[in-house]
């Protein structure tokens, strides 16, 4: 049962983070994080990632 609850919480957090990124929620927006260092140099970083900081709250 704990596994099911953890999976549900992760799903909800992911949904909220992506909704923030896509502008579907008025109270939040894109993540303020910088370009991840592990990305290859040829990868174009758009600068609008999932807002996990907001979703965790």
């Amino acid at each position: 049962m704990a596994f099911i609850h953890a999976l549900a919480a992760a799903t909800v957090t992911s949904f909220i983070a992506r909704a923030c990124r896509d502008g579907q929620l008025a109270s939040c927006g894109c993540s303020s994080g910088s370009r991840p260092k592990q990305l290859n140099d040829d990868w174009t970083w758009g600068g609008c990632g999932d807002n996990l900081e907001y979703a965790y709250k």
Side-chain angles (χ1 to χ4, degrees):
M1 204 59 183
F3 177 75
I4 299 297
H5 286 285
L7 193 57
T11 301
V12 169
T13 301
S14 175
F15 176 77
I16 292 171
R18 288 176 187 257
C20 286
R21 178 196 65 193
D22 295 340
Q24 296 175 353
L25 300 175
S27 60
C28 62
C30 292
S31 172
S32 60
S34 61
R35 182 184 195 277
K37 292 181 171 71
Q38 69 269 20
L39 285 179
N40 293 332
D41 290 335
D42 59 344
W43 183 271
T44 303
W45 174 246
C48 187
D50 295 349
N51 195 342
L52 288 175
E53 294 86 15
Y54 181 84
Y56 285 142
K57 293 178 186 178

